């Protein structure tokens, strides 16, 4: 699909590869960023950007891939890799700001296996939070991070309830383990981003959902994507105590 007069973006649906051809400069950076984020939030696992036919024209374009990779660093089961024949061999390369790059598409795809992940599509209904908690409980048991079940259930409940109360759109729940942590995210189709203002006065009804997430998660945040947003958090087992027998 054409995106910018100087840069063409094509998505290979079976593999999820994003092919970029032409010239990438500051004028086309926003369009390419949007295409990469859309692919990253719509399918779990690493996404490979094939820059074989791309020429990066300026510093804005050169830093774009690292910028996107930083944005999705705490998303569950997400990463951005490059196929770039200019690199001398497989592995991280500094040519495009340190984003891991491989010289062939086969090498890049082999380095991007589907990670352990659970995903569910939910409607913005009253029962959505319960369904999300069930997914969290299943994941924590399966990945042997049971000490995180309560904290993750609190976080996912508040994320889902925010969608039900404010976004009123369908949502995608995604969670995955990574290096001993649990990554949790809810993606909806509203551009309205939650605002965290700290402690809520005792007389105020509501307004404590983000405070609860901030309390149980080591890190959390909101990432704008082309047709909505992703709210995510990272939970660490060392922040929790063992559940009673």
């Amino acid at each position: 699909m054409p995106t910018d007069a100087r840069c063409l973006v094509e998505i290979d649906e079976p593999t999820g590869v994003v092919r970029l051809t032409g010239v990438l400069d500051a004028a086309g950076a926003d369009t390419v960023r949007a295409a990469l984020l859309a692919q990253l939030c719509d399918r779990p696992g690493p996404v490979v950007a094939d820059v074989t036919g791309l020429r990066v024209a300026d510093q804005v374009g050169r830093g774009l891939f690292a910028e996107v990779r930083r944005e999705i660093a705490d998303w569950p089961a997400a990463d951005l890799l490059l196929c770039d024949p200019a690199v001398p061999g497989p592995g991280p390369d500094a040519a495009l700001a340190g984003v891991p790059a491989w010289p062939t598409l086969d090498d890049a795809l082999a380095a991007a296996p589907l990670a352990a992940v659970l995903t569910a599509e939910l409607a913005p209904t009253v029962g959505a939070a319960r369904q999300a908690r069930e997914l969290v409980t299943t994941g924590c048991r399966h990945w042997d991070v049971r000490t995180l079940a309560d904290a993750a259930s609190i976080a996912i409940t508040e994320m889902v309830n925010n969608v039900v109360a404010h976004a009123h759109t369908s949502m995608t729940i995604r969670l995955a383990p990574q290096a001993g942590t649990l990554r949790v995210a809810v993606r909806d189709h509203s551009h309205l981003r939650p605002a965290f203002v700290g402690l809520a006065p005792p007389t105020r009804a509501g307004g404590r959902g983000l405070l609860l997430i901030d309390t149980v998660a080591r890190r959390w945040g909101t990432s704008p994507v082309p047709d909505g947003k992703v709210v995510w958090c990272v939970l660490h087992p060392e922040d929790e105590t063992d559940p009673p027998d």
Side-chain angles (χ1 to χ4, degrees), residues 129-213:
R130 176 186 53 77
Q131 293 175 271
R133 287 192 296 271
E134 291 173 354
L135 190 72
V136 163
T137 301
T138 298
C140 288
R141 184 186 306 117
H142 182 72
W143 298 318
D144 198 23
V145 287
R146 301 186 187 202
T147 57
L148 291 176
D150 287 345
S153 293
I154 291 171
I156 200 72
T157 296
E158 299 308 322
M159 291 177 179
V160 169
N161 283 343
N162 276 340
V163 177
V164 174
H166 304 293
H168 311 297
T169 74
S170 60
M171 67 191 95
T172 302
I173 311 300
R174 188 169 295 159
L175 55 145
Q178 182 175 327
T181 68
L182 182 67
R183 313 294 174 95
V184 178
V186 175
R187 181 257 208 279
D188 65 48
H189 301 276
S190 168
H191 292 290
L192 180 65
R193 300 177 68 178
F196 179 55
V197 294
L199 292 173
T203 54
R204 181 190 300 171
R208 295 173 179 81
L210 296 180
L211 178 60
L212 287 171
I213 297 172

